[in-house]
Amino acid sequence: MGQDNCIFCKIANGEIPARTLYEDEQFRVILDQGPATKGHALILPKAHYRDLFELPEELAGDVMKLAKKMIIKMREKFKCEGFNLVQNNGDLAGQTVFHFHLHLIPRYGADGQKIGWKPQEVTPEELEEVRAQFAD
Ligand code: AMP
Ligand code: ZN
């Protein structure tokens, strides 16, 4: 199921070396080479799916189960205080490698990182319009 020229296919399937924290039949968890913080890791399915839209539902569930297992162990080992889970879909959303991956980002006091967004002002009417658009 590897896709030619996909770096994460090659890493997940062991053709290109990476710092592996965990591996099983379905997944490899590696250290990000440009970490936001110490221990920043990526869950990679071994099979190629571009993003969450393509990822089969069952595998999506397995990703989150593995994320839970991983952050419990990482918290113990790295002594971090919190975690951000980040998952980008599409280049507009900041995805740069088009093989599904989930970022596990340990957070430490005063780690100097800011992961998030700028909250926008919105009126109750605007919120209602969005809700109605989705419900249509
Ligand atoms: P995203 O922007 O969500 O697509 O994230 C891609 C992430 O993959 C970035 O945080 C990169 O630092 C990381 N990355 C890219 N290539 C490698 C690699 N060969 N080994 C480890 N991490 C990588
Ligand atoms: Zn791939």
Side-chain angles (χ1 to χ4, degrees):
M1 279 238 234
Q3 191 168 91
D4 288 350
N5 300 321
C6 172
I7 179 125
F8 281 2
C9 277
K10 294 191 170 80
I11 290 174
N13 294 287
E15 289 163 48
I16 292 180
R19 303 279 175 195
T20 297
L21 299 184
Y22 174 86
E23 185 186 1
D24 64 23
E25 268 185 16
Q26 296 192 105
F27 301 106
R28 183 186 295 269
V29 182
I30 63 163
L31 288 178
D32 194 303
Q33 72 178 7
T37 62
K38 176 185 160 187
H40 179 169
L42 303 171
I43 297 182
L44 312 179
K46 289 188 173 175
H48 181 88
Y49 301 102
R50 180 183 170 85
D51 53 26
L52 187 56
F53 292 103
E54 279 196 1
L55 193 72
E57 198 174 290
E58 200 177 314
L59 202 54
D62 292 342
V63 168
M64 198 48 82
K65 285 182 187 163
L66 178 56
K68 181 171 169 64
K69 265 185 19 185
M70 288 301 303
I71 67 167
I72 289 170
K73 187 147 182 203
M74 289 163 78
R75 184 173 64 176
E76 195 180 302
K77 298 282 186 182
F78 299 141
K79 312 288 181 215
C80 48
E81 290 158 33
F83 264 93
N84 291 110
L85 270 58
V86 175
Q87 200 276 306
N88 299 324
N89 296 280
D91 50 10
L92 251 176
Q95 186 175 8
T96 58
V97 180
F98 293 91
H99 174 126
F100 174 93
H101 52 281
L102 177 64
H103 295 257
L104 308 177
I105 305 176
R107 300 306 303 272
Y108 306 87
D111 61 25
Q113 286 292 358
K114 184 161 168 18
I115 295 153
W117 54 89
K118 196 165 115 250
Q120 306 291 298
E121 295 282 335
V122 67
T123 63
E125 293 73 26
E126 284 167 331
L127 283 180
E128 175 51 21
E129 201 178 307
V130 175
R131 189 207 60 75
Q133 184 181 3
F134 183 77
D136 258 359

